[in-house]
Amino acid sequence: MQDEMQAYWKRLDSGFAQVQEVFEACMDEALKVLTADGVTAYLEEARFLGKMGRGVEPILSFLEGWPQIAAHLGEHALPAVSACIRTLHKSPNGKAIAPFLQSLPAVARRLHSLDQIQDYLVLIVDFMHRTTGSIHGIHTTFASPGLPEFFAQAPFLTNQLSAQGLKKWVDYGIRNYHDHPERQRDYFSLQSADARAVLQRERHGTLLVDHERQLDLYLRALWRDSDHFVPYSTGFHELRKPVPYYDALGIRLPDVYNDLAGIAGIDRYRATLAHIAAHRRWSTPIFADNYSPFQRMAVEFFEDSRVEYLAMREYPGLRRIFAALHPVPEENACNPETESAVRHRLAMLSRALLDPNHGYQNPHVREFVERFHTLMRQGEASTQDIADLAIAFVAKTRRQSDQLPNVHFKDTEVDYRDDNRHLWKFYELSDDEEMFEEHRQVDEEQTQGLPPRHYPEWDYASSTYRPDWVSVYESLHPTGKAGDIDRLLGKHDALAKRLKRLLDVLKPQNKVRVRYQEEGSELDLDVALRSLIDFRSGTTPDPRINLSHRHDSRNIAVLLLLDLSESLAQKVPGSEQSILELSQEAVSLLAWAIDRLGDPLAIAGFHSNTRHEVRYLHIKGFSESWDDGVKSRLAAMEAGYSTRMGAALRHAAHYLEAKKADKKLMLILTDGEPADIDAKDERLLIEDAHKAVQELDRQGIYTYCINLDPKADDYVSDIFGQQYTVIDNIQRLPERLPQVFLSLTA
């Protein structure tokens, strides 16, 4: 045998002392799983890795890891792995070979077939080709910034995503951060928000974001409670696993729950919310200063059981879910000689309080289960009552081994329960309290504005949304001089008179009586006489003796969205006015006309400075009348920055959708195609705007574009279909804009 090892070592031909120290053990493992041909290929590949000039790490990783990989995938996977290694070696990415080999055993355990590992290797080679840089576009000279980071995260990613999900996640990072090395590193190391958002989108299980409304209704309907849900990720906390909790900022829940023990993910969320809602209803904070850590732990276990008991008393069906999710500690699983059994005893007690058929023989557990039920039969009890019972349990079951540092944790963690930070209050400020209370100082400027709203953006290349890609900041438009708008209206006095005659024709004239109203503008004599007769005859009269009137005609809500990008500051050819000034005149006439018709109208402007800053400026709200306040904001309009139209459309729809009307019309006044300084692909924002128009159409909102760009025919139909008008002669805009509106609503 020793001679064989010497022969194998000679064939390896390695000069690394570290390799020689582990070589015999590696060969012993390899000989158990590899055929003779497999051993030959194993040694040849290891020899190549040792001679390629990348140090000892690649050959060590391969010698130690390949037998495990072969056991899972078979030795026939080696040629594909070898080809991938050589591809990396021939490129500037040689340094990525070591992390590739280090992560490969864990990846192989997740990818159970040769086909899947080949797909993974194809993904790696494609990743390398698409992210490796070159100076002149001929020979690659710069290593991929994200490839080593990807290999470091590959075991975690393959555990969270399917092969298809992994491919989409990688493709997203390459396409969006191809030209940004630092951002690429952040993405593939899972440090950026985009990486986590896309990962969450591609993960399996029940996502909180997809069921937030349903869970909110559950909390409101069954528990008469409501709060903001704040998700946290279970995939990015390796050292300290987070658990649900609630505080002044909302209820913290995992971003995803997988099915467990026959319980669907949505029911796991319901169990967690039921437990938290029960605490919020029946628990009261008590002072923690006089309790030891063991006593506090016991109080928390007992109080958790009390509120769940009360919750199951109100909704008995919860018992099935709680019982399925609660661990079942084995009675003799903990060795009291070597382990601290505090958590184990409390977990057994908690299980026994939940399950009448627990089967535990521990006399203390059985005694306190009976005492607990005796207490609860007297009523709801209180947090202090249950704390006294918990202290008695700790005193009666205390052992010397409870002080041991090795705590028994197996089957003691109830993952649907919160961390009970709400249960304690303190006499004095301390480090403990700082863990439970969040003291935040907010700048005065921040409190005056609204937080940004995040919207997705459509990526036509991959036919997927970029989640939370665009940040929209909204505010009230600054004010100027209202008299300027009055002068503009006076300038178009003749046009205003023509419009007035047309508006008088369109204005609703027909009135319809609405009878049987308790409150109205007139007395309905027929109903009033009938009610008087009923009253005189001793029966209950009908109180609905009034009537009112309504117009039996148009019911339209209009939102006018103005492009306030930099190009509006340009002068109109053959005129001293800018496009912005003509837009002010046109919008003023339109607002005056709609006000005379009585239709609800909102006006807003937008511009953008990259995806991180889209400004949405409120000029007129639906509930505002056409007064000096609105005119002053309209007079202060200024042009600046770029046109990220899709995000503005989605945000405007947020307001228009909430308006009750038979017809909802959004007019977009713009002078160019969607564009922004961080969008290199000219089609990207055009396709996103088109997608936004489709979304609005599904929401029942009719969009119509008035474009002032003479070249708009090249792109505007790609966004709005046939729902647009191009005004070549911009000087006629004040006349044409009201006419377009009237033609759409007549």
Side-chain angles (χ1 to χ4, degrees):
M1 188 64 182
Q2 191 63 31
D3 292 339
E4 287 184 0
M5 285 295 172
Q6 290 295 330
Y8 291 142
W9 175 252
K10 186 175 181 180
R11 289 164 62 181
L12 182 64
D13 190 22
S14 174
F16 293 110
Q18 301 97 315
V19 174
Q20 189 172 11
E21 292 174 0
V22 300
F23 179 75
E24 187 172 341
C26 292
M27 283 304 303
D28 287 339
E29 187 176 0
L31 290 170
K32 294 176 183 177
V33 296
L34 300 177
T35 64
D37 291 339
V39 169
T40 300
Y42 173 61
L43 291 173
E44 288 177 356
E45 186 63 20
R47 186 174 187 275
F48 167 76
L49 292 170
K51 300 293 186 183
M52 69 178 183
R54 292 292 174 184
V56 69
E57 191 59 35
I59 184 174
L60 271 178
S61 299
F62 179 79
L63 287 172
E64 294 172 350
W66 180 251
Q68 305 173 39
I69 299 170
H72 286 283
L73 302 175
E75 62 187 42
H76 300 296
L78 183 56
V81 174
S82 178
C84 182
I85 292 172
R86 281 161 172 75
T87 302
L88 292 171
H89 176 59
K90 293 176 182 178
S91 75
N93 296 283
K95 291 183 178 180
I97 294 175
F100 165 67
L101 291 170
Q102 290 165 352
S103 64
L104 194 58
V107 171
R109 286 194 294 271
R110 183 66 180 174
L111 306 177
H112 300 292
S113 69
L114 180 59
D115 290 338
Q116 284 189 311
I117 201 68
Q118 287 176 332
D119 290 340
Y120 174 73
L121 297 174
V122 169
L123 176 66
I124 290 172
V125 174
D126 180 64
F127 189 145
M128 181 201 72
H129 287 313
R130 294 171 65 186
T131 57
T132 304
S134 62
I135 295 178
H136 302 293
I138 301 175
H139 300 292
T140 55
T141 51
F142 299 109
S144 166
L147 194 59
E149 304 293 345
F150 168 76
F151 288 139
Q153 300 296 333
F156 172 77
L157 291 169
T158 52
N159 192 52
Q160 298 292 320
L161 301 173
S162 64
Q164 183 180 12
L166 179 64
K167 185 178 185 301
K168 290 182 177 180
W169 185 83
V170 170
D171 187 61
Y172 182 97
I174 295 174
R175 283 186 294 100
N176 290 291
Y177 300 111
H178 179 270
D179 296 326
H180 299 85
E182 293 300 328
R183 294 183 184 179
Q184 190 181 131
R185 291 189 189 95
D186 289 343
Y187 181 91
F188 288 105
S189 62
L190 289 171
Q191 298 300 311
S192 70
D194 287 346
R196 300 183 183 190
V198 179
L199 177 63
Q200 176 175 302
R201 184 184 70 189
E202 300 296 340
R203 288 173 70 181
H204 294 288
T206 302
L207 298 179
L208 175 62
V209 68
D210 294 336
H211 298 82
E212 188 169 349
R213 175 171 170 78
Q214 184 179 352
L215 293 171
D216 180 60
L217 291 175
Y218 165 79
L219 197 60
R220 291 172 183 268
L222 270 66
W223 296 102
R224 297 177 292 281
D225 195 356
S226 179
D227 207 340
H228 179 57
F229 296 153
V230 183
Y232 62 80
S233 177
T234 57
F236 306 102
H237 299 81
E238 300 293 338
L239 297 178
R240 184 180 183 276
K241 182 181 177 182
V243 294
Y245 67 92
Y246 69 89
D247 57 15
L249 299 180
I251 299 175
R252 311 301 176 101
L253 296 169
D255 59 350
V256 61
Y257 262 144
N258 292 317
D259 296 353
L260 180 68
I263 302 299
I266 187 67
D267 286 332
R268 293 182 66 188
Y269 276 118
R270 292 189 179 113
T272 301
L273 287 175
H275 181 86
I276 289 176
H279 270 304
R280 288 156 69 105
R281 179 180 296 185
W282 291 300
S283 292
T284 54
I286 57 178
F287 285 105
D289 300 74
N290 294 329
Y291 293 107
S292 71
F294 287 164
Q295 290 172 333
R296 285 169 59 178
M297 186 192 305
V299 171
E300 291 176 0
F301 267 93
F302 271 82
E303 179 67 359
D304 284 339
S305 297
R306 182 182 76 92
V307 298
E308 287 178 9
Y309 180 92
L310 295 172
M312 290 184 294
R313 180 187 288 176
E314 189 161 341
Y315 300 109
L318 284 171
R319 184 180 297 276
R320 177 187 65 86
I321 301 177
F322 285 153
L325 296 176
H326 195 293
V328 185
E330 295 183 15
E331 187 164 4
N332 299 314
C334 179
N335 182 359
E337 301 299 326
T338 60
E339 295 178 300
S340 172
V342 175
R343 288 188 62 89
H344 181 253
R345 288 197 303 273
L346 289 169
M348 282 200 304
L349 177 70
S350 177
R351 179 71 196 186
L353 293 173
L354 179 64
D355 181 9
N357 302 314
H358 56 82
Y360 293 129
Q361 301 302 315
N362 185 299
H364 298 308
V365 170
R366 299 177 70 89
E367 174 191 349
F368 277 85
V369 167
E370 181 59 33
R371 291 177 63 176
F372 175 89
H373 287 295
T374 301
L375 179 64
M376 296 306 297
R377 279 193 290 268
Q378 299 172 9
E380 294 181 354
S382 67
T383 303
Q384 189 59 58
D385 293 336
I386 212 70
D388 295 339
L389 186 62
I391 300 307
F393 178 81
V394 172
K396 198 160 189 176
T397 61
R398 184 176 180 181
R399 300 174 182 173
Q400 185 64 35
S401 60
D402 291 347
Q403 305 294 330
L404 293 174
N406 185 20
V407 180
H408 183 89
F409 275 94
K410 183 180 179 182
D411 294 331
T412 65
E413 298 180 71
V414 189
D415 63 0
Y416 67 83
R417 291 178 175 174
D418 64 301
D419 66 1
N420 288 306
R421 66 181 61 193
H422 57 85
L423 202 57
W424 305 106
K425 56 184 178 180
F426 299 83
Y427 288 107
E428 298 178 359
L429 292 175
S430 66
D431 290 340
D432 288 330
E433 186 174 17
E434 290 173 7
M435 295 168 58
F436 296 93
E437 298 291 338
E438 293 189 30
H439 304 284
R440 303 192 308 161
Q441 294 182 351
V442 182
D443 292 340
E444 185 176 350
E445 293 182 0
Q446 292 179 337
T447 62
Q448 295 174 353
L450 293 173
R453 290 181 65 94
H454 301 289
Y455 289 95
E457 190 168 85
W458 180 252
D459 182 0
Y460 75 99
S462 63
S463 297
T464 59
Y465 283 101
R466 297 172 174 177
D468 293 340
W469 187 255
V470 183
S471 299
V472 177
Y473 293 83
E474 59 181 320
S475 61
L476 195 63
H477 198 289
T479 57
K481 296 179 180 179
D484 294 345
I485 300 300
D486 291 328
R487 282 191 292 274
L488 292 177
L489 290 172
K491 175 182 174 182
H492 295 279
D493 186 58
L495 176 59
K497 289 180 179 179
R498 293 201 306 272
L499 285 173
K500 183 177 182 298
R501 290 193 292 270
L502 182 59
L503 294 172
D504 289 339
V505 175
L506 292 176
K507 192 172 182 179
Q509 303 293 332
N510 299 328
K511 287 187 177 182
V512 177
R513 291 192 305 171
V514 181
R515 305 183 68 186
Y516 298 101
Q517 304 291 308
E518 290 192 20
E519 296 181 0
S521 58
E522 298 179 25
L523 188 67
D524 191 335
L525 290 177
D526 291 339
V527 180
L529 287 172
R530 195 159 50 241
S531 296
L532 180 60
I533 294 170
D534 291 340
F535 177 74
R536 292 286 179 86
S537 62
T539 60
T540 303
D542 189 342
R544 302 172 299 167
I545 61 173
N546 294 303
L547 61 83
S548 59
H549 297 86
R550 64 174 174 83
H551 292 290
D552 186 24
S553 183
R554 51 195 292 140
N555 182 13
I556 303 173
V558 185
L559 193 150
L560 177 59
L561 188 61
L562 309 176
D563 170 10
L564 300 180
S565 59
E566 181 67 32
S567 54
L568 263 70
Q570 297 175 0
K571 296 288 185 181
V572 176
S575 172
E576 293 299 319
Q577 288 184 292
S578 67
I579 301 175
L580 178 64
E581 291 168 343
L582 285 169
S583 298
Q584 285 177 313
E585 295 178 8
V587 173
S588 300
L589 280 167
L590 178 63
W592 170 81
I594 295 177
D595 182 66
R596 290 190 62 86
L597 284 173
D599 296 333
L601 169 69
I603 306 174
F606 76 95
H607 55 67
S608 63
N609 182 22
T610 76
R611 69 181 181 92
H612 300 289
E613 185 183 357
V614 177
R615 294 288 175 178
Y616 186 94
L617 305 169
H618 293 275
I619 298 173
K620 180 185 181 300
F622 283 113
S623 60
E624 289 185 283
S625 59
W626 175 244
D627 56 18
D628 287 346
V630 174
K631 293 176 184 177
S632 65
R633 291 193 286 272
L634 191 60
M637 281 177 19
E638 293 182 351
Y641 301 109
S642 304
T643 313
R644 209 174 198 105
M645 186 179 292
L649 290 172
R650 294 182 178 95
H651 191 67
H654 166 72
Y655 292 100
L656 187 53
E657 186 183 20
K659 192 68 179 174
K660 292 183 179 180
D662 294 338
K663 183 175 182 180
K664 300 174 183 179
L665 173 64
M666 185 183 297
L667 295 174
I668 300 95
L669 179 61
T670 181
D671 71 326
E673 63 182 331
D676 210 339
I677 58 174
D678 61 344
K680 297 182 179 180
D681 186 346
E682 294 181 356
R683 294 294 305 176
L684 181 65
L685 297 185
I686 293 176
E687 296 293 339
D688 175 62
H690 174 61
K691 194 69 175 179
V693 169
Q694 292 179 327
E695 295 168 15
L696 268 60
D697 184 60
R698 289 193 293 269
Q699 297 173 32
I701 297 173
Y702 183 82
T703 55
Y704 196 89
C705 177
I706 299 96
N707 201 304
L708 310 179
D709 182 6
K711 301 179 181 179
D713 293 310
D714 296 338
Y715 59 84
V716 69
S717 61
D718 293 342
I719 301 174
F720 295 96
Q722 300 302 314
Q723 300 165 200
Y724 71 92
T725 293
V726 178
I727 299 178
D728 295 319
N729 187 353
I730 301 178
Q731 296 184 54
R732 294 188 60 197
L733 178 62
E735 176 184 353
R736 292 293 308 278
L737 183 59
Q739 291 176 350
V740 169
F741 167 75
L742 295 175
S743 66
L744 291 172
T745 59

